[in-house]
Amino acid sequence: MKKIKSVLNSINFKIAVIFMLLLLATIEVVGASFTRQLEQNSIQNFESSIQVPNIITNQISSQLSRANSKKANQQLSQIISNYNLGDISQLMVVDNKGVIRAVSNVNDQNRIGQRTSNVDIKSVLSNGKQVSKVINDNGNYMVQISPLTSANGTNTPVGAIYVRASLQGVFNNLRQVSIYFLIAAVLGAIVALVISRAITRPIEEMRKQALRVANGDYSGHVRVYAQDELGQLAEAFNTLSVRIERTQEISDSERRRLDNVLTHMTDGVIATDRHGNITIINETALDFLGKTEKDVIGKPITNLLGLKDVTIQDLLSTQQELVVRVNDNTRDEMILHANFSLIQRVTGFVSGLVCVLHDITQQQKKEREQQQFVSNVSHELRTPLTSLRAYVEALNDGAWKDPNIAPQFLHVIQDETERMIRMINDLLSLSRMDRGVARMDLEWVNLNDFVNHVLNRFDMMLKSDSDKMHKKKYTIKREFPHQALWVEIDTDKMMQVIDNIMNNAIKYSPDGGVITVRLLQAQKHVILSISDQGLGIPRKDLNKIFDRFYRVDKARSRKQGGTGLGLAISKEIVEAHHGRIWADSAEGAGSTFYISLPYEAISEEGENWDEV
């Protein structure tokens, strides 16, 4: 049904029908007029052709002038029988009294001598005028009744001659002409179909090509059949198709380029329509917000960014910059800086918004750390300075005269001064590392021997009576592999790391505790671990112990002289060696610090690598 409807609605069908109707109407009008005229001419010609010649009528008139006798009737019959009848089917002679004197039809001889009842014959006898008429009764025929006058020139009517002739031949000719017109109409319809097809074929091909172009297929071209208007239109369509293909390729290339730019941007990008509903969002923005594309496309940007007090009208009118906080249970809070700008056409019509999201979490964190760092430095320096001020004021007030108190006060002043010097030195070291200007003097070292050398120093300090800082008894247990582990390190800085961890292990271990130092090789890393039997570190503080000035037990740390920067410096040094440092601990079960450094095994053939 749809196919039939499609054919009926096609321009090919409509043009063909219009051509056929015009042609048929023309043929009907012309044919009807021609046939009517031909019929009239044919009947007139036929009427002339059945007209009895004068010589015959004169002979008949001379016989009718005689008395009605058998001999005269025989003469009349002889005259009409000798006449070539042709298309005449019946010839009858009637005298002026209406008596039939002779007939051509043998079967009608019995009518001779009878009066005729034909009204037309009587009318001709009375008025002397010829009558011709076509009768459609049991076949088409023509009746012609002509008056006969006296042969002596008096024009006295002596009778009439009745001629009846068949028109079948005439109408057969007319029917043949009608058939020719019908054949011409059929041929015209075929020609109309051919012409309509010739006209609509380029249009149909252009329609199909337009559908292919609409579906993204630019491979085909419309065939040019002639250089007429349709041919020029086909050429223009082919040119248009090529230009559309090039434009589409450029558009696709630009779109891919834009997609690549959006995909690889470190900032999140969100585009909306003029109603504030999201139309485009890149992967970075999805990662920032913890969403998928199907969750946000078509949704309001204010809902996505959690802007409860801001409407899309506010963003369109002011394009204000906002700070967005993203809270997700699966990760830490993320802070984003949202910058809005309008999408405008050349006419000035605003068709949407573009929002650029920049991750400022680390920036905010660094700012907070810097503020906290300044606060901590101020606090850490103020504590010893306050002590120094108090003791100096006491000495100024006369305590310096007391031989028992003065040395104690001076000793405290010296300890606090040394503590501030250590803190400032540590701060300077951290500052150099932050700025990347700390110099690394790398050299290949057998880590087994290096760690043993550092631990031997702590054994010596334990035996030394002059070292008051190490009054606590402890034992160092070594678990080293027999294989030599060669690594490239800065020995001074790595010694500082091990010293910091060992000092912490000694400080927080119980008297007589065991400190276990292990060294092992794992794949492409060598791992140094230092374990103590101290109080341990709470689980909540493990991720913060490498922060600057962070102390698990602040009061106890200050009492033991720590600056709160040792582990922070150790972390910076280890990471400068492309390594990693971390801790594992539980309250009451001691702590273990791990240092992982890059390691590549050296073959025996390469042990003399410094020889030429």
Side-chain angles (χ1 to χ4, degrees):
M1 187 65 183
K2 291 182 178 179
K3 188 174 182 180
I4 296 175
K5 187 176 180 181
S6 176
V7 172
L8 294 178
N9 290 330
S10 66
I11 189 171
N12 185 25
F13 177 79
K14 292 178 181 178
I15 291 178
V17 170
I18 291 172
F19 278 0
M20 285 190 290
L21 291 177
L22 290 175
L23 186 61
L24 290 175
T26 303
I27 291 175
E28 282 296 323
V29 173
V30 174
S33 176
F34 178 79
T35 305
R36 177 65 61 186
Q37 187 66 32
L38 180 63
E39 182 181 2
Q40 292 177 357
N41 293 335
S42 298
I43 291 175
Q44 290 177 359
N45 293 333
F46 186 80
E47 183 179 358
S48 299
S49 68
I50 64 174
Q51 184 75 35
V52 179
N54 290 332
I55 187 172
I56 302 297
T57 58
N58 290 333
Q59 293 177 3
I60 294 173
S61 296
S62 63
Q63 294 297 326
L64 288 177
S65 298
R66 300 175 182 180
N68 185 0
S69 63
K70 185 175 181 181
K71 184 178 179 181
N73 292 338
Q74 288 178 350
Q75 288 292 332
L76 290 173
S77 297
Q78 184 66 31
I79 292 171
I80 62 176
S81 63
N82 290 332
Y83 178 63
N84 185 10
L85 298 179
D87 291 328
I88 299 174
S89 61
Q90 185 179 6
L91 190 65
M92 184 170 61
V93 179
V94 182
D95 59 14
N96 55 2
K97 295 179 181 179
V99 178
I100 299 172
R101 302 287 298 275
V103 294
S104 61
N105 193 343
V106 178
N107 295 326
D108 292 337
Q109 293 296 321
N110 56 353
R111 295 180 62 188
I112 297 175
Q114 298 180 0
R115 286 186 178 275
T116 181
S117 59
N118 192 303
V119 177
D120 294 326
I121 295 176
K122 292 179 180 181
S123 174
V124 170
L125 291 174
S126 61
N127 58 30
K129 294 181 179 180
Q130 186 182 29
V131 174
S132 295
K133 61 190 305 183
V134 178
I135 299 175
N136 295 320
D137 184 16
N138 295 327
N140 297 318
Y141 59 92
M142 174 178 282
V143 173
Q144 187 183 76
I145 305 172
S146 302
L148 298 174
T149 57
S150 175
N152 55 14
T154 60
N155 291 328
T156 302
V158 293
I161 183 169
Y162 175 90
V163 178
R164 178 176 176 175
S166 175
L167 289 172
Q168 193 64 40
V170 173
F171 285 105
N172 285 339
N173 292 334
L174 294 175
R175 191 177 297 108
Q176 191 71 27
V177 171
S178 299
I179 291 174
Y180 289 154
F181 274 106
L182 180 61
I183 293 174
V186 173
L187 292 176
I190 295 174
V191 171
L193 288 174
V194 173
I195 294 174
S196 66
R197 180 59 180 167
I199 294 174
T200 59
R201 183 185 299 172
I203 300 176
E204 178 66 18
E205 290 187 6
M206 282 187 280
R207 183 188 69 83
K208 293 180 179 179
Q209 179 63 15
L211 292 176
R212 288 194 293 267
V213 170
N215 293 327
D217 181 10
Y218 305 98
S219 59
H221 292 281
V222 180
R223 182 179 175 184
V224 179
Y225 293 94
Q227 292 301 321
D228 54 5
E229 288 80 357
L230 288 176
Q232 294 172 5
L233 179 61
E235 290 179 350
F237 190 87
N238 290 333
T239 303
L240 178 62
S241 177
V242 172
R243 291 182 179 178
I244 292 176
E245 181 179 9
R246 292 176 181 173
T247 304
Q248 186 66 31
E249 289 176 354
I250 294 173
S251 177
D252 292 341
S253 176
E254 292 297 327
R255 185 180 295 108
R256 288 191 296 269
R257 186 181 303 172
L258 178 60
D259 291 341
N260 288 333
V261 170
L262 291 177
T263 301
H264 296 91
M265 283 183 65
T266 57
D267 290 340
V269 178
I270 304 173
T272 73
D273 56 19
R274 60 191 181 93
H275 301 293
N277 298 322
I278 298 172
T279 57
I280 298 174
I281 184 169
N282 67 347
E283 291 294 334
T284 305
L286 293 174
D287 293 339
F288 284 167
L289 301 171
K291 302 289 185 180
T292 59
E293 187 173 2
K294 65 179 181 179
D295 294 334
V296 300
I297 295 297
K299 302 297 178 61
I301 189 173
T302 52
N303 294 348
L304 177 65
L305 300 180
L307 307 177
K308 298 180 180 179
D309 299 330
V310 180
T311 64
I312 186 64
Q313 287 75 18
D314 297 334
L315 296 177
L316 290 172
S317 59
T318 62
Q319 300 99 57
Q320 55 185 314
E321 298 181 0
L322 301 174
V323 175
V324 179
R325 297 181 180 271
V326 180
N327 293 312
D328 193 344
N329 295 330
T330 61
R331 58 183 180 181
D332 295 335
E333 180 186 46
M334 179 173 286
I335 304 173
L336 304 174
H337 177 266
N339 188 9
F340 296 90
S341 59
L342 296 177
I343 302 176
Q344 285 183 305
R345 299 178 183 172
V346 178
T347 58
F349 177 77
V350 177
S351 58
L353 276 174
V354 171
C355 175
V356 178
L357 300 176
H358 181 66
D359 184 7
I360 59 172
T361 306
Q362 294 300 324
Q363 179 182 344
Q364 293 285 325
K365 181 180 178 182
K366 288 182 178 180
E367 289 179 358
R368 290 196 300 268
E369 289 178 351
Q370 288 176 356
Q371 294 172 357
Q372 185 67 32
F373 180 74
V374 172
S375 176
N376 289 335
V377 170
S378 301
H379 181 73
E380 294 294 335
L381 290 175
R382 183 175 58 187
T383 301
L385 286 173
T386 302
S387 299
L388 287 174
R389 179 180 179 181
Y391 283 104
V392 170
E393 287 178 352
L395 290 173
N396 286 333
D397 290 340
W400 64 274
K401 298 178 182 180
D402 190 336
N404 295 323
I405 297 177
Q408 296 178 7
F409 282 11
L410 291 174
H411 181 71
V412 172
I413 291 173
Q414 183 180 1
D415 289 343
E416 293 298 329
T417 302
E418 291 176 353
R419 179 183 170 189
M420 285 192 296
I421 292 173
R422 289 197 304 272
M423 185 183 302
I424 291 172
N425 288 333
D426 290 343
L427 289 172
L428 290 174
S429 298
L430 285 173
S431 176
R432 285 192 294 270
M433 292 179 185
D434 290 339
R435 289 183 288 113
V437 297
R439 181 182 176 185
M440 299 288 290
D441 294 326
L442 299 176
E443 58 178 307
W444 287 96
V445 176
N446 185 344
L447 197 60
N448 307 51
D449 296 339
F450 175 74
V451 176
N452 266 319
H453 171 71
V454 176
L455 296 180
N456 289 337
R457 292 172 54 248
F458 284 94
D459 288 337
M460 294 298 296
M461 287 188 292
L462 183 63
K463 299 175 181 178
S464 174
D465 294 335
S466 62
D467 192 349
K468 298 180 179 179
M469 294 181 60
H470 297 85
K471 295 180 179 179
K472 187 183 294 183
K473 301 297 182 180
Y474 57 86
T475 303
I476 299 177
K477 181 181 179 182
R478 295 172 173 83
E479 295 182 2
F480 294 170
H482 298 291
Q483 176 188 0
L485 302 175
W486 291 86
V487 293
E488 191 176 20
I489 60 174
D490 185 322
T491 55
D492 291 338
K493 289 183 172 57
M494 193 56 64
M495 184 179 296
Q496 182 181 357
V497 173
I498 299 175
D499 282 347
N500 285 334
I501 297 175
M502 285 297 298
N503 284 326
N504 287 337
I506 294 170
K507 288 177 185 178
Y508 298 110
S509 291
D511 193 20
V514 178
I515 299 173
T516 304
V517 180
R518 298 183 179 88
L519 193 60
L520 57 92
Q521 184 263 331
Q523 295 182 353
K524 294 185 178 181
H525 292 84
V526 59
I527 298 176
L528 171 67
S529 66
I530 300 174
S531 304
D532 61 46
Q533 297 176 337
L535 298 176
I537 303 170
R539 183 67 59 182
K540 63 182 180 65
D541 296 316
L542 274 178
N543 294 330
K544 302 177 182 179
I545 59 175
F546 295 99
D547 295 345
R548 300 171 186 184
F549 293 111
Y550 185 82
R551 295 187 180 93
V552 178
D553 187 350
K554 294 182 175 57
R556 184 178 179 186
S557 297
R558 288 196 185 96
K559 183 178 180 181
Q560 294 183 351
T563 64
L565 298 173
L567 291 179
I569 294 174
S570 299
K571 179 181 178 183
E572 295 290 341
I573 293 174
V574 172
E575 290 180 351
H577 285 80
H578 306 290
R580 191 167 69 94
I581 183 171
W582 72 97
D584 186 17
S585 180
E587 287 188 89
S591 303
T592 301
F593 283 81
Y594 298 91
I595 300 172
S596 175
L597 296 173
Y599 169 73
E600 290 185 6
I602 299 177
S603 62
E604 293 182 359
E605 292 79 1
E607 290 180 357
N608 297 326
W609 55 272
D610 56 342
E611 296 181 1
V612 179

